[in-house]
Amino acid sequence: MSILVTRPSPQGEDLVSRLRTLGRVAWSFPLIEFTPGRELASLPARLAALTDTDLVFALSQHAVTFASAELNKHQSSWPLTPHYFAIGRTTALALHKESGAEIRYPQDREISEVLLQLPELQNVAGKKALILRGNGGRELIGETLTARGAEVTFCECYQRTAIHYDGAEEALRWHSRGVTTLVITSGEMLQQIWSLTPPWYRENWLLRCRLWVVSERLARLAKELGWHDVQVADSADNDALLRALQ
């Protein structure tokens, strides 16, 4: 089994390195890269305006990384006043390391629906909720909090940008290297590799690969695009993916 990991740097390279240490054949093929978000400069002032009844949500490690860099640039720090939430354990650990604050996160699946089940988020009427994210995504969190009476604002801390490849050249490369397993961690990347791959390679290689994804939503999308062998990892972090791939 040869494994193609499409998640961005540095997580993709880290997972490939760990797989190779275990004797697996694995390759890194990042499909997107990250750049600062359009609203990042406004973050220090927006955080400073929050009170002890307000909420902050970090929806990825990348949101934490870019937000912390911006705060450091302005010699600011994460305020301890608001209540902090993260989409999952890995993001929570990153946010705790940067802020020192207590971070609440779902203990089960790292998805929006489970996060929104936390007891602390059931009575949020009149509270401000600042959601730190990339360029789009996780709309359900904002919509649900708004429906529960919170005043929701988003801060685009980073942008996801597709990396351009020659699709025929890359398909030939990975097909000839015997790739039979793909790791894809977002719908954006799933659609990207499907579109990037020429029709012949799509039918005779790509859609015949076993596909590991990180949510039931992604699994449904993959099946709609034509994959048959779709597996769902416990969560999106590298530890869970490594367990799945073993």
Side-chain angles (χ1 to χ4, degrees):
M1 176 176 68
S2 186
I3 305 165
L4 190 64
V5 177
T6 66
R7 74 181 321 176
S9 302
Q11 288 91 345
E13 286 86 348
D14 173 66
L15 180 56
V16 166
S17 176
R18 294 170 69 180
L19 285 165
R20 289 178 175 176
T21 298
L22 294 172
R24 300 301 180 101
V25 178
W27 310 91
S28 177
F29 182 49
L31 291 171
I32 61 174
E33 59 187 356
F34 300 104
T35 56
R38 293 169 294 184
E39 299 168 325
L40 187 59
S42 69
L43 180 62
R46 295 167 76 173
L47 283 173
L50 298 177
T51 70
D52 59 0
T53 64
D54 296 329
L55 317 170
V56 176
F57 294 82
L59 301 191
S60 72
Q61 294 179 71
H62 304 291
V64 174
T65 299
F66 279 93
S68 291
E70 186 68 18
L71 290 172
N72 290 337
K73 186 170 75 174
H74 293 276
Q75 297 183 329
S76 300
S77 58
W78 293 89
L80 295 177
T81 305
H83 301 280
Y84 286 95
F85 297 85
I87 192 63
R89 178 177 179 273
T90 303
T91 302
L93 289 173
L95 184 54
H96 173 72
K97 181 179 178 181
E98 294 292 340
S99 68
E102 179 185 356
I103 316 296
R104 298 162 180 82
Y105 64 95
Q107 302 292 321
D108 188 12
R109 301 298 300 277
E110 298 182 359
I111 56 176
S112 302
E113 291 84 351
V114 180
L115 172 64
L116 289 164
Q117 291 172 10
L118 291 177
E120 300 92 337
L121 299 180
Q122 303 313 303
N123 183 18
V124 296
K127 298 180 180 181
K128 294 180 180 178
L130 177 60
I131 299 178
L132 313 182
R133 65 174 184 175
N135 48 323
R138 305 284 184 184
E139 301 294 344
L140 178 64
I141 295 175
E143 292 169 358
T144 303
L145 293 174
T146 299
R148 293 176 183 174
E151 180 185 332
V152 176
T153 57
F154 293 95
C155 183
E156 182 190 283
C157 294
Y158 66 95
Q159 291 190 349
R160 297 178 296 273
T161 305
I163 301 174
H164 296 290
Y165 293 102
D166 182 314
E169 181 179 315
E170 295 301 327
L172 173 62
R173 182 200 313 275
W174 304 123
H175 181 249
S176 64
R177 287 182 175 177
V179 168
T180 56
T181 300
L182 305 173
V183 176
I184 298 183
T185 54
S186 79
E188 183 180 6
M189 289 186 283
L190 185 66
Q191 185 67 58
Q192 187 180 346
I193 197 167
W194 187 93
S195 300
L196 179 69
T197 306
W200 188 90
Y201 282 106
R202 190 184 301 155
E203 296 301 324
N204 292 281
W205 166 66
L206 186 71
L207 296 178
R208 297 185 181 186
C209 289
R210 168 171 288 184
L211 183 64
W212 278 98
V213 296
V214 295
S215 71
E216 294 294 342
R217 179 187 63 83
L218 273 183
R220 289 193 297 271
L221 176 58
K223 290 174 182 176
E224 289 171 5
L225 289 172
W227 272 278
H228 299 287
D229 188 354
V230 183
Q231 308 292 324
V232 182
D234 291 336
S235 72
D237 64 61
N238 278 352
D239 289 340
L241 288 167
L242 192 66
R243 289 194 300 271
L245 290 163
Q246 284 181 289

